[in-house]
Amino acid sequence: MALMRPSLRPSATLQTPHIHQQVRHATLLKRPKRPYTFTQLITLSDGSTFLHRTTSPAPIYKSTKDTKNNPLWNPSSQKLLNVEEDEAGRLKRFRARFGRGFDVESLEEGEEAREGEESVPRERQEESLLDMISSVGQEAEKKGKAAGKREEAKKSGKGKGGQK
Amino acid sequence: MNAGQQSARRIASQNALSRDTVCISCRHRLASHASRRHASAATAAVAEEPPRTQTNPSNPPVTATGPKKAFQLKCSPVLSRPPVITRELTSFEKAFFLYQKRLNERLALPFTRYFYTKKETPGDIEWKRKRSLRRGTAARDIGAYNAYDDEKWNDEVLVGSKLGDPEDITERLILDAEGKDITEGEPQGDAETGGETISGDARAGEGSQKPVAEVNVERPASRITEADEQNDVKSLNRKLDRSLYLLVQNKDGQWRFPEDRVYGRENLHQAAERILLQAGGINMNTWVLANHPIGHYVNAFKSPILSKILPNRLVRTSRELEQEEYGEKVFFLKSRILAGQADLSQNEYKDKDFSWLAKEEVEKVVSKHYWSQIRNMLTER
Amino acid sequence: MALQEVTSAFIKRMQSTQTPLKQAWKLQCLRTYATDPMQKELGELEESVHQATPTDAAGKRLSQYDPTQNAKQRKEQLPPSRYQFRSPRFYRGPLHPHQPLKSSDPASREFVPGPFTLPRLQQTYESTIAPDLMTLTYQHYPPGFERPQKGERLREWVGDSPYFKNRPRRGPRGYDVLPLLRKPITFRNVPKLERVTVHTMLKGAADDSAYLHVAGMVVQNITNVRVQTHAVRKSVASFGLRAGKHVSVTSELYGENMYHFLSKVIDVVMPKIKDYKGVKGSSGDSSGHISFGFKPEEVALFPEVEVNYDMYPPKMIPGLHVTVHTSATTDYDARMLLQAIGVPFYGKMVD
């Protein structure tokens, strides 16, 4: 089973006619052209590895996103569902600037505080929100473009999975 | 209308197929089939009935008084963990793959280097250096072998060479990624390195180059786990390249797949799920594949047993029942464990022990009769 | 890995046992598993027979044995053999005295080496997926049950006309083609992967052949198979197609290449696609072939394209159609096979 018979190959097999007769022409038997292939080691994100044949000369391919850490392939994994996509680092930069107040707000909107996330008491939430709004306003006054900021703040809520 | 057709119809209309001989779904199918006027099948089925009842001549008609006489009807989920890793290649497969790769060296189109690295860039220089250590071969997994030089005829490896082992290939790839010489580990004068001259060249070549940056690539985990070394039969991390089956030691000390009677009106699939719950605890994520069994086991008792069956608390339709039992019929349902581990602390069948065993280990612990009837439903790997 | 081990072990077993050849063959073909202590011991035993137990002289001889050195030290080179058969370049018909070799012969011009590995997906299929699929799709019939014979699906020509005699029968009412029948699945016909076709049609190729070249390189690199180009058969003015122009590229994958390609697509490429939902549930031609596609920006996620992305003109990377041909005769079975392999499906499943 391992050693598959080469019958399933796309080679130009000779069709020997049943009626044997002399032919005057000659058919060129072409050498099949195949690209050079290497053996490559693929390392998935959970550390599992496998070898495969590829045209790429890189000896190792290390994947960061694959079936082991994608929620589509792991629908029951709560851990993966909570991971927010922030590949460009925009959420991180936003938080460094404006704090995490908006995360809580979006959580409350969606009303699905998942387990493993800290829940902030209600009064403190409002406090932090007020802080946030005032600070945003101040900053906007300084720079004179408040509208753009607010929109960004709305977009990057945690419950919305960090859309770009 | 011929006689066979008539009899089939009569059987279907009177529901005369006795409960002990044909299963419910079959009876249903036969009945519906007969009513559709395809009589041939039904008659064939009826014709097959007598031998079945003859095997158990002591089975009296249902109308008899006293306790019901029957077989123990049992369901047994065959819970298995599929192989997690690829299997070890046989030595022939390794040799064959290496041979084919070396043949391919001269038959495939040459590697187009400049499609990947521009000329005279550091990457290109590094590639040339590494390739010269492999005698000009682009591939890293066939040893130092060039299909186009004067020694191309020397394409066989010597006794005891590890070349072509998947582990060896992995190691070479990682070494190459780390910027090290992949033919370094081979002994001097070995055929693969093409003798001392080549090794010497390689050394000299390496010496003249600047030392490569230290890159450490993580090695893949071993195929043999801790549980393998300790032969921990309770662990699911043992024998990663095999299917493991859950066997339990019942209160009589026999090793079997977990099993229980089928109660009330539950079907085999429901029974299998219930048994897994009652035997292995709730800490198992299991999947019973289908509604139908993959095998069965029949065992006739030496003398009939009068047994009183108490209703099962998880099956609402089960009633208290007394019957005289002549043997047991066990139906096996295929199921897979997806996560978790068996736990006998909540076991309701007073099972003493459990273990996860590969096929040939199952043979060692179960009885001969049991093995003869289960062996063909267990997969080879 | 040296094959000598095998042969010597084989000979040893043959000598030690008086059992018939079949038994010895069976012993030889027992698979070894890495995690099998019994086999491990046996393997070590054999190793020791080869390396440790022979006298020092033999071990020394083995370590000093070097075919290339021997060949160099030989005073006279071995004479070339008198006659070397060379497979002819041309096939000149069956009566020609100089016949080409079969394509399975390594000396043949058409020889294709391989397989080079035992793909992971193939092993999973054989050990896990195939038995599970058989259990899942099994249909129980009572003993003695005969499936009702379906009537002839092609229609006879009924009438007095003498031309109806021996005339090929007509197709069914309402269909152009006969849909495939689904036979009950047994161990002989468990659905399996047969081949994969990767196809791309390039609009710009009619004007600029560079599209064709780039697409050819992309498809060849991700599939390991040389591509085939296809010409337009009929001109369609509204699409800007002229007959005879080459506008599309396909490659057909079988066996090892197919398994490696599919496992790469499923394990590496599909999860990397942003907001990937899966393959549409309505995909399929209702005879067990399921197709899905990749957009140009998704094709760039293939490791083979990623490794030298700069080398491709960025606007010219094509989108792809991938068709998975399975031996299943219905889309339902084919989809079950693909789901078992790991392809996600979404939306309404249409069979």
Side-chain angles (χ1 to χ4, degrees):
Chain A
M1 40 140 265
L3 311 172
M4 285 171 296
R5 282 182 45 235
S7 56
L8 273 182
R9 293 215 194 100
S11 61
T13 44
L14 288 177
Q15 294 292 321
T16 318
H18 291 295
I19 307 153
H20 285 228
Q21 56 181 18
Q22 181 62 284
V23 287
R24 298 183 66 103
H25 63 268
T27 322
L28 176 66
L29 299 172
K30 282 184 185 164
R31 286 194 184 277
K33 285 185 176 174
R34 290 168 307 114
Y36 195 89
T37 47
F38 296 88
T39 306
Q40 192 182 45
L41 183 75
I42 288 196
T43 308
L44 299 184
S45 57
D46 70 338
S48 54
T49 59
F50 61 94
L51 293 169
H52 79 154
R53 300 284 290 178
T54 169
T55 52
S56 153
I60 292 178
Y61 178 79
K62 208 163 163 56
S63 85
T64 48
K65 185 86 182 171
D66 50 53
T67 44
K68 309 288 176 183
N69 60 359
N70 190 319
L72 184 59
W73 277 265
N74 305 282
S76 60
S77 168
Q78 275 299 314
K79 201 176 80 188
L80 288 180
L81 281 177
N82 282 345
V83 171
E84 57 186 16
E85 287 165 32
D86 188 23
E87 278 167 25
R90 291 174 69 174
L91 275 180
K92 200 179 155 194
R93 264 181 285 135
F94 179 80
R95 282 190 190 129
R97 202 160 174 189
F98 302 113
R100 297 185 68 96
F102 291 93
D103 297 357
V104 183
E105 183 192 43
S106 67
L107 265 185
E108 202 182 26
E109 276 174 14
E111 284 191 329
E112 39 178 33
R114 297 188 191 101
E115 48 187 353
E117 282 183 17
E118 75 273 51
S119 55
V120 190
R122 207 178 161 80
E123 291 125 52
R124 271 187 55 208
Q125 273 181 28
E126 279 174 4
E127 254 180 52
S128 65
L129 273 180
L130 283 173
D131 283 352
M132 211 38 40
I133 291 162
S134 59
S135 73
V136 168
Q138 280 160 17
E139 246 178 357
E141 273 174 19
K142 275 177 201 165
K143 290 186 182 174
K145 44 175 184 176
K149 287 272 160 49
R150 279 217 190 101
E151 235 178 69
E152 202 188 16
K154 257 187 204 168
K155 265 187 184 174
S156 47
K158 191 166 192 178
K160 288 169 189 166
Q163 298 162 345
K164 273 195 172 175
Chain B
M1 194 178 266
N2 60 25
Q5 214 167 352
Q6 277 177 3
S7 66
R9 281 199 157 184
R10 197 179 59 240
I11 286 164
S13 59
Q14 293 171 356
N15 201 7
L17 294 170
S18 88
R19 240 156 47 102
D20 296 332
T21 50
V22 181
C23 77
I24 296 172
S25 67
C26 296
R27 198 170 65 220
H28 188 70
R29 189 180 295 277
L30 280 178
S32 66
H33 195 63
S35 66
R36 271 191 278 125
R37 273 192 268 165
H38 295 291
S40 56
T43 45
V46 171
E48 268 203 10
E49 287 313 319
R52 279 193 165 201
T53 46
Q54 275 163 16
T55 54
N56 186 18
S58 53
N59 208 0
V62 190
T63 49
T65 53
K68 199 181 138 198
K69 303 190 174 182
F71 271 74
Q72 280 179 11
L73 176 59
K74 286 180 170 181
C75 170
S76 173
V78 180
L79 188 64
S80 58
R81 187 221 60 189
V84 181
I85 59 174
T86 53
R87 71 173 166 84
E88 191 94 323
L89 298 180
T90 63
S91 55
F92 175 76
E93 281 168 336
K94 288 174 194 166
F96 178 82
F97 291 148
L98 180 64
Y99 170 69
Q100 294 291 330
K101 278 176 193 164
R102 286 191 163 181
L103 267 184
N104 189 43
E105 274 300 300
R106 85 179 154 83
L107 292 174
L109 294 170
F111 173 57
T112 46
R113 189 168 108 219
Y114 299 125
F115 188 52
Y116 294 93
T117 49
K118 289 209 176 87
K119 222 170 190 173
E120 301 305 324
T121 53
D124 187 43
I125 293 164
E126 176 70 5
W127 169 262
K128 274 199 282 192
R129 183 185 71 84
K130 282 184 193 161
R131 201 190 53 180
S132 71
L133 301 180
R134 291 177 237 134
R135 309 182 68 186
T137 313
R140 306 170 183 92
D141 51 347
I142 56 166
Y145 170 75
N146 189 336
Y148 290 101
D149 69 3
D150 292 340
E151 287 165 13
K152 63 187 175 196
W153 52 267
N154 184 24
D155 59 354
E156 287 178 33
V157 291
L158 294 187
V159 173
S161 165
K162 287 269 168 252
L163 197 69
D165 255 340
E167 283 80 22
D168 178 67
I169 293 172
T170 311
E171 185 61 25
R172 279 162 193 265
L173 291 177
I174 291 175
L175 282 177
D176 191 79
E178 288 173 341
K180 289 171 188 154
D181 176 14
I182 59 164
T183 52
E184 206 170 29
E186 288 166 16
Q188 293 244 329
D190 195 297
E192 293 140 32
T193 52
E196 262 178 67
T197 49
I198 295 302
S199 294
D201 282 350
R203 291 283 140 74
E206 202 177 26
S208 63
Q209 291 287 335
K210 58 176 169 42
V212 284
E214 276 296 308
V215 188
N216 275 318
V217 181
E218 202 183 337
R219 265 41 176 191
S222 169
R223 298 169 60 88
I224 298 165
T225 59
E226 204 178 313
D228 272 317
E229 281 160 5
Q230 294 164 0
N231 203 20
D232 178 9
V233 289
K234 286 197 168 40
S235 168
L236 275 168
N237 283 335
R238 201 174 63 97
K239 294 205 181 236
L240 292 179
D241 56 348
R242 304 293 312 276
S243 288
L244 293 184
Y245 296 94
L246 175 68
L247 271 88
V248 293
Q249 193 179 27
N250 59 19
K251 56 179 186 269
D252 306 330
Q254 287 176 321
W255 282 96
R256 282 186 172 199
F257 297 115
E259 65 182 22
D260 190 19
R261 286 172 187 278
V262 179
Y263 288 96
R265 296 170 62 83
E266 70 176 350
N267 62 25
L268 284 177
H269 188 272
Q270 291 162 340
E273 283 178 343
R274 175 180 59 79
I275 293 162
L276 283 176
L277 190 73
Q278 292 189 326
I282 54 164
N283 189 23
M284 277 201 300
N285 187 1
T286 56
W287 171 43
V288 180
L289 264 72
N291 289 330
H292 46 76
I294 53 167
H296 71 288
Y297 168 68
V298 182
N299 183 26
F301 297 149
K302 280 183 187 126
S303 57
I305 304 167
L306 189 69
S307 58
K308 196 176 166 188
I309 305 156
L310 295 173
N312 190 299
R313 64 178 175 83
L314 290 181
V315 187
R316 272 191 294 152
T317 49
S318 61
R319 302 274 175 273
E320 192 175 322
L321 184 71
E322 202 176 33
Q323 63 181 17
E324 198 179 0
E325 286 163 344
Y326 289 84
E328 55 178 349
K329 290 185 176 176
V330 186
F331 291 92
F332 298 105
L333 267 87
K334 189 171 190 172
S335 53
R336 295 278 192 199
I337 183 164
L338 306 174
Q341 172 63 289
D343 177 17
L344 291 196
S345 61
Q346 301 291 321
N347 186 288
E348 297 185 13
Y349 308 121
K350 295 172 192 142
D351 292 330
K352 293 176 191 165
D353 200 4
F354 76 94
S355 51
W356 292 95
L357 300 176
K359 186 177 182 180
E360 68 274 0
E361 294 167 332
V362 172
E363 185 183 2
K364 284 176 203 153
V365 295
V366 300
S367 72
K368 240 182 180 167
H369 187 231
Y370 195 68
W371 173 247
S372 70
Q373 302 200 29
I374 62 167
R375 57 182 296 177
N376 286 337
M377 70 185 192
L378 307 182
T379 48
E380 208 56 49
R381 185 163 97 85
Chain C
M1 199 70 202
L3 197 56
Q4 282 95 324
E5 269 178 49
V6 182
T7 44
S8 62
F10 186 74
I11 289 164
K12 223 168 21 165
R13 279 178 187 147
M14 285 292 287
Q15 286 166 347
S16 64
T17 52
Q18 291 299 316
T19 47
L21 184 69
K22 195 182 156 200
Q23 191 79 22
W25 183 83
K26 208 174 149 194
L27 270 174
Q28 179 59 38
C29 288
L30 268 181
R31 289 228 184 90
T32 54
Y33 297 103
T35 51
D36 206 339
M38 268 280 287
Q39 297 284 344
K40 202 80 195 161
E41 278 166 27
L42 204 71
E44 277 165 15
L45 205 71
E46 278 176 22
E47 294 268 309
S48 62
V49 168
H50 274 297
Q51 289 162 357
T53 43
T55 51
D56 284 348
K60 206 175 163 191
R61 210 173 64 215
L62 189 66
S63 67
Q64 284 179 344
Y65 179 71
D66 183 358
T68 48
Q69 287 297 317
N70 291 354
K72 274 177 196 159
Q73 284 161 5
R74 206 177 286 135
K75 276 170 196 158
E76 294 169 13
Q77 287 307 306
L78 296 175
S81 60
R82 290 278 166 77
Y83 173 71
Q84 282 184 323
F85 179 79
R86 216 175 144 77
S87 199
R89 279 191 74 186
F90 295 98
Y91 174 61
R92 296 169 200 273
L95 298 182
H96 195 273
H98 198 186
Q99 285 289 325
L101 294 169
K102 273 190 197 165
S103 65
S104 58
D105 193 315
S108 158
R109 287 175 62 84
E110 292 175 311
F111 177 69
V112 177
F116 309 110
T117 52
L118 184 55
R120 186 175 76 130
L121 183 56
Q122 188 188 351
Q123 293 191 33
T124 315
Y125 174 78
E126 279 159 3
S127 72
T128 313
I129 295 171
D132 281 5
L133 276 183
M134 199 175 77
T135 310
L136 280 167
T137 52
Y138 174 78
Q139 175 69 50
H140 178 63
Y141 293 109
F145 177 84
E146 263 178 46
R147 287 163 56 74
Q149 289 295 316
K150 270 214 161 182
E152 189 58 65
R153 296 200 294 166
L154 294 172
R155 290 180 293 157
E156 296 272 7
W157 293 92
V158 188
D160 300 332
S161 169
Y163 294 107
F164 287 169
K165 192 140 194 167
N166 291 334
R167 188 166 176 179
R169 280 172 294 194
R170 280 188 288 180
R173 259 182 233 280
Y175 291 103
D176 285 344
V177 285
L178 283 179
L180 292 180
L181 288 177
R182 185 186 184 275
K183 285 186 182 164
I185 284 175
T186 65
F187 68 99
R188 290 180 196 283
N189 60 354
V190 180
K192 63 171 192 288
L193 297 168
E194 277 182 341
R195 68 176 206 273
V196 169
T197 311
V198 181
H199 163 257
T200 173
M201 189 265 178
L202 307 133
K203 261 192 179 168
D207 304 323
D208 184 4
S209 73
Y211 284 93
L212 214 57
H213 292 286
V214 174
M217 279 313 277
V218 169
V219 175
Q220 170 181 309
N221 284 340
I222 66 178
T223 61
N224 299 359
V225 173
R226 190 77 159 191
V227 296
Q228 177 98 35
T229 55
H230 301 280
V232 178
R233 274 187 293 189
K234 270 188 184 170
S235 300
V236 183
S238 55
F239 295 160
L241 294 178
R242 267 184 297 138
K245 281 275 182 188
H246 286 258
V247 288
S248 84
V249 156
T250 60
S251 69
E252 298 263 307
L253 313 181
Y254 297 86
E256 194 197 9
N257 284 328
M258 168 185 77
Y259 284 114
H260 283 319
F261 176 75
L262 274 183
S263 73
K264 177 167 66 194
V265 163
I266 292 162
D267 279 327
V268 179
V269 181
M270 279 182 176
K272 279 207 291 186
I273 297 172
K274 266 249 150 51
D275 302 326
Y276 190 63
K277 284 191 288 182
V279 178
K280 229 178 178 179
S282 58
S283 170
D285 65 348
S286 67
S287 46
H289 310 312
I290 290 192
S291 308
F292 46 91
F294 293 108
K295 297 189 192 91
E297 61 270 21
E298 297 166 357
V299 171
L301 297 174
F302 273 89
E304 288 82 4
V305 182
E306 233 177 19
V307 73
N308 59 343
Y309 181 75
D310 306 341
M311 290 290 182
Y312 301 98
K315 293 271 169 60
M316 286 189 183
I317 291 184
L320 298 178
H321 289 144
V322 178
T323 308
V324 183
H325 303 257
T326 67
S327 68
T329 49
T330 60
D331 282 351
Y332 180 82
D333 291 342
R335 200 177 302 120
M336 202 183 321
L337 171 62
L338 287 197
Q339 276 175 331
I341 285 169
V343 180
F345 284 88
Y346 76 94
K348 196 185 169 208
M349 305 290 167
V350 180
D351 296 318

